[in-house]
Amino acid sequence: MSALVLRAGRRSFRVERRTLWLSAILLGTILALGFVGLCYGGATWASPGEVLAALTGAADSVVIVEWRLPRVVAAMVFGCALGAAGAIFQTLTRNPLGSPDVIGLDAGAYTGALFAFTVLAGTSGQLAVSSVLGGLLVAALIYLLSLSNGLSGLRLVVIGIAVNAMLQALNSWIVLRADLEVAMAAGAWNAGSLNGVDWADLVLPLPILAGLLATLLVWFRPIQQSTLGDAVAATTGVGLDRLRLMMVLIGVGCTATVTAVAGPIAFIALAAPQIGRRLARTPGVALLPAALTGAVLLLTADLLAQMLLSPESLPVGVVTTAIGGCYLIWLLTQEVRRR
Amino acid sequence: MTTRLRARELTLSYGERVVSTKLSLDVPDGAFTAIVGPNACGKSTLLRAFVRLLRPAAGTVSLDDQQIAAYGSKALARSVGFLPQDPLAPDDIKVRQLVARGRFPHQSLLSMWSQEDEEAVTEAMETAGVSELADRPVQELSGGQRQRAWVAMVLAQRTPYLLLDEPTSFLDITHQYRLLTLLARLRDEGRTVVAVLHDINQACRFADHLVAMKEGRIIAEGAAADIVDAALLKEVFDLPCVVVPDPVTETPMVVPTHFDDP
């Protein structure tokens, strides 16, 4: 049996062995990449010894603890959130292209954030709320436009891509109309960036994302069951309406919370679930591998973003877009060939 | 004959298109009920109403005198199992994993895989004859094997009621008879089986209770020997035929003659 089962009285816990191993390896990779991220920054390297000393409190290092650590933690948690959100929406739409960044949820959340930035005072609370609202509005819009075909299918994806393009235009227009100072900040932010993320930026998002990911774990089994198709899922006891609502809320919540802090970071949500699923070789959704793969991808991309044009630090979104773009082209050709 | 699963005065529709009105059916307990009728006569729609995949516009479906609309999702799934016509298996799923999914209504976050789950899956695979295929990917199976794997999944659900929508389509004749024999055996073991069937002769041979539908209405129901004759076939299927005793089982056997208009 390829699954590990633990039983105690009436309680039992089950997990695929391969998923367990894979998760351990991915977790190790994440920690290693995170450590490298603490060593490197602003075109200078700190020795592992210095980093350890700073982490354990043996030595004071503002650079490592106050600058690099929040950035690394953000990359880890945001990567997990984006990977999980991608897995949720790809499962919901039954399409590897149906990920939040492709169908415009990132762009919608960003529109919400821009609104908070330009019209309201732009506090982090306002940013969080308005980006979630932006994401939800876009999700509702896409759903209504593709209603005749339900939530699944290429139709929803195509409509999502169109909505995404329109929102990008809207976002550019808002930026153009804004004050110069706001516009410059927003412009850098538009590419998706972890540059300058500090602890103050993370006070709200980290607990929110932790809560969303924990909720997702609770819902994992019905999500898994839903991959058997609507009829079998419903007649084996999945409340599909409630499940879908939960999935949309969690997926949009993850995407929008990340976007509110870092701007739209594309392609992590698109690629992570597919890579995670192939590594885990589990049927249906591989939620945990998708989330962990997302963290690995974002950490790697952020390191590259800092190193490529060092000492200039690129927005991480530029790197993910460059790598992910190639992947998207490949995926589109596959998808077209399948039909 | 006792009944616990009942449909009363159902109006069934997809949006504007009304399929059935005032449709009532008592499913006899512990029996094999077959629903037959021409294409698009509403037989699958009726089945979907019984498993709550379609909410009736009017009327009720009840189990043990309680409306199924009032059951919790998992509670209903522990009583009534359903196999749709073309179920969708996730990529890369193996037979044992698929069958294990049938245990979902018996599981919870704190009880993900009990001893009973294990036993039910093993037993279901044995009953459906897929034990040897346990570690094969479902996609690689032949049509007959795949259908038996799905039947095993529904069996693992361990429901007293088993509803199947055209379980024999896409199977060759041998596998059709094997599957129907399996369903009859499940009936003998005490389950209530309801299947939408295409082949009237198979329905006559295997079903205890035959329901003939046309244009959303039940034209006749009862034991095949009591209701199947040339007149019924003419009315339901518009098929000129003679009805003779099946040489093997003595149940009615329909033999088509010639159409008047060629």
Side-chain angles (χ1 to χ4, degrees), chain B residues 39-246:
Chain B
N39 292 336
C41 70
K43 49 194 194 301
S44 294
T45 307
L46 175 59
L47 212 57
R48 293 175 75 82
F50 269 116
V51 293
R52 212 168 52 179
L53 285 174
L54 181 70
R55 198 163 49 164
T60 57
V61 176
S62 62
L63 174 63
D64 286 330
D65 295 320
Q66 192 190 352
Q67 293 195 18
I68 62 164
Y71 276 77
S73 306
K74 285 189 175 178
L76 187 64
R78 286 192 291 263
S79 291
V80 183
F82 174 66
L83 184 59
Q85 197 179 349
D86 46 355
L88 167 87
D91 291 346
D92 306 327
I93 199 166
K94 297 199 170 75
V95 171
R96 187 197 303 275
Q97 292 171 320
L98 180 70
V99 179
R101 296 284 184 93
R103 295 303 296 167
F104 183 80
H106 301 272
Q107 295 166 337
S108 67
L109 201 61
L110 295 177
S111 172
M112 292 189 190
W113 195 248
S114 65
Q115 199 68 47
E116 198 199 333
D117 293 331
E118 190 85 55
E119 286 160 14
V121 168
T122 308
E123 187 190 278
M125 288 199 297
E126 267 166 30
T127 307
V130 291
S131 300
E132 293 78 45
L133 306 173
D135 294 313
R136 295 265 303 275
V138 174
Q139 284 150 319
E140 290 176 11
L141 303 181
S142 72
Q145 291 170 329
R146 193 177 308 156
Q147 188 68 329
R148 277 185 297 160
W150 277 103
V151 170
M153 191 221 75
V154 184
L155 289 181
Q157 228 170 311
R158 286 197 168 161
T159 55
Y161 291 86
L162 209 53
L163 277 57
L164 307 96
D165 192 1
E166 301 196 11
T168 51
S169 22
F170 313 123
L171 299 185
D172 61 41
I173 188 161
T174 314
H175 284 108
Q176 290 181 11
Y177 274 91
R178 281 200 179 278
L179 184 65
L180 290 166
T181 306
L182 170 63
L183 295 181
R185 200 170 93 222
L186 294 169
R187 180 262 332 264
D188 294 341
E189 291 167 3
R191 301 206 204 207
T192 304
V193 177
V194 183
V196 167
L197 294 179
H198 249 309
D199 188 313
I200 180 89
N201 289 333
Q202 289 176 348
C204 290
R205 179 183 277 209
F206 285 96
D208 310 300
H209 192 76
L210 195 66
V211 179
M213 288 183 69
K214 184 189 184 182
E215 289 166 0
R217 290 178 304 120
I218 293 174
I219 305 295
E221 61 173 312
D226 298 339
I227 63 166
V228 174
D229 55 21
L232 181 75
L233 267 292
K234 178 77 188 154
E235 184 180 0
V236 173
F237 288 98
D238 197 20
L239 178 75
C241 66
V242 293
V243 176
V244 296
D246 182 316

Side-chain angles (χ1 to χ4, degrees), chain A residues 51-74:
Chain A
V51 170
L52 282 177
L55 282 181
T56 52
D60 255 357
S61 170
V62 174
V63 173
I64 291 172
V65 176
E66 298 294 328
W67 296 2
R68 292 183 192 165
L69 188 57
R71 180 178 190 140
V72 165
V73 169

